[in-house]
């Protein structure tokens, strides 16, 4: 599979998730209209939607039904989106642009942006509880999925990582601390995406362990390449300014290890991620190509 | 039951919920410590904990096991607490004091307050998914409870009401619009509290309908008496300034109907709430006294 074929598969997965979202989401015609508008603005702001694609890729790897995992895929994208809205707020990273568009609070104001983030997080859990069972997932697995996602999004996962990242700004951070921050801030949601895909698809414990290992290495590679792009990337393709980490006094893999070493670390993580997929054979093709994409990404 | 006896029962219920929370909550010794500290600061800031008490009161009314409902009771208090933290933010109501203590962002800063709110909301769903089944609730009912709580906290409930309340500031609002705002902003979570208590306790559809009707009238009475207290209350007892609604140009029941008429409306709502409890007999004593308390409340 080449990069173009992978991108086509990613788009096909995106379409499945977006069609599902459009079916179940409240539109701006439903009160309070401006709040729904703000939620949809960020949810459809042109993200790559890697997390939902990972959910569906993991279902495929274990030979499960993609349809059954759409509520979980959508929920993870909503949680990722809410975290971006809140992270961009003036009191947090104070970003004016995201994916080339004005950030949520720039368009709708701070108060609405806070509520839109809260509402996306809340709606994610509502959709999981309401639609997982109807999609053919047993109530026991549905509860386990909700728990995995909540844990990954909470203080031992994404929110905790964001807090640690904030606290580390302007501080001396070593490699171990940097990895710990990102394992929670970015890695936890990747891990949950792949794991809940596996759980919904009926993964064995061995398969679930392999998926977890894949996701951990993928998360690491994602963060390293994200840091590299912040220095070397094309702002037009990324839709945001370069060197934002430097401006925010954030430690990064290139700042700690140098650009060349960081590239080698990313390659190693991608290789480890792909190795973990061995037991799935060709059914894990999409997950494998997703890892390889990270080494070529331009946004 | 007189007011004192009701307060003792409320305290006993609070203790059950707080003991359970202390068992399952991450402490400030767990990283990130400051984030957990911020969450606990607001969660243990001396609220009346009416919502969890309503959950437990509803379980009693239908003859169920109080123990099974503790995760739901705790989750509702966490969601209520997160909403207060976010509502108090400078971009929202910009309040410096809450229950006589500095608000969360005044103590921990805005960024941490935003994350602490996010984390309490997320943790509420984690605890529901993790602990409801262990507490003896069937997976099917657990999912229904999660869905009811998420719906009540979302854009058709609490968050939607907060948004509508913000949009109505400084606008002419009529009685119908005011009731609609509060039915969502405050009423939805009261309704969910009583309903999930009923669901967990094994309520029949008829019992669930009666509990819903009780909760709707209780929510209305709560809001009217809240508005009245904002004018007539003792700031020392309330732990916040008087006339904050006036300052924020908010429409209230007294401002629309006059103080005397608002009092009559509160009494009518309390009577209707108590009437709805008829089918439960003496088992609904706590719910009944909770409604009567609203007419005597000083905070």
């Amino acid at each position: 599979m080449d990069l173009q074929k992978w991108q086509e598969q990613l788009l096909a997965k995106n379409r499945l998730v977006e069609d599902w979202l459009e079916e179940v989401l409240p539109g701006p015609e439903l009160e309070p209209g401006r709040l729904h508008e703000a939620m949809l603005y960020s949810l459809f702001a042109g993200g790559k939607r890697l997390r939902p694609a990972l959910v569906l890729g993991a279902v495929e790897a274990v030979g499960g039904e993609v349809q059954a995992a759409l509520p979980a895929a959508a929920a993870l994208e909503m949680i990722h989106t809410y975290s971006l809205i809140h992270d961009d707020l003036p009191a947090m990273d104070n970003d004016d642009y995201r994916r080339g568009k004005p950030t949520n609070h720039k368009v709708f104001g701070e108060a609405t942006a806070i509520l839109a983030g809260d509402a996306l997080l809340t709606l994610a859990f509502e959709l999981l509880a309401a639609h997982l069972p109807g999609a053919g997932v047993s109530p026991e697995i549905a509860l386990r999925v909700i728990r995995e996602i909540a844990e990954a999004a909470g203080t031992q996962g994404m929110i905790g990582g964001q807090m640690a990242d904030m606290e580390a700004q302007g501080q001396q951070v070593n490699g171990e601390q940097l990895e710990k921050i990102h394992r929670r801030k970015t890695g936890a949601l990747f891990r949950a995406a792949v794991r809940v895909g596996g759980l919904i698809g009926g993964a064995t414990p061995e398969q679930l362990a392999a998926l977890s290992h894949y996701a951990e290495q993928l998360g690491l590679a994602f963060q390293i390449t994200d840091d590299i792009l912040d220095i070397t990337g094309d702002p037009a393709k990324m839709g945001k300014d370069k060197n934002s980490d430097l401006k925010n006094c954030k430690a990064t893999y290139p700042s700690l290890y140098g650009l060349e070493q960081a590239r080698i670390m990313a390659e190693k993580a991608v290789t480890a991620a792909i190795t973990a997929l061995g037991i799935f054979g060709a059914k894990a093709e999409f997950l494998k190509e997703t890892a390889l994409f990270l080494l070529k990404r331009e946004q």
Side-chain angles (χ1 to χ4, degrees), chain A residues 172-234:
Chain A
Q172 281 286 8
V173 170
N174 64 30
E176 201 185 323
Q177 290 164 322
L178 186 67
E179 199 186 320
K180 194 172 161 193
I181 289 171
H182 291 305
R183 196 164 55 226
R184 293 195 279 175
K185 190 180 174 188
T186 323
L189 224 52
F190 276 125
R191 190 167 174 276
V194 172
R195 281 176 60 86
V196 303
L199 284 169
I200 291 168
T204 64
E206 188 203 5
Q207 288 178 322
L208 206 55
L211 287 172
S212 304
H213 191 59
Y214 161 79
E216 283 152 19
Q217 296 298 319
L218 186 82
L220 180 60
F222 180 88
Q223 191 57 51
I224 299 173
T225 54
D226 214 52
D227 287 354
I228 293 173
L229 268 182
D230 191 63
I231 299 169
T232 66
D234 176 352

Side-chain angles (χ1 to χ4, degrees), chain A residues 67-84:
Chain A
Q67 210 65 26
L70 289 177
L76 278 159
E77 186 67 6
M78 291 165 78
I79 289 174
H80 172 58
T81 303
Y82 114 76
S83 79
L84 299 181

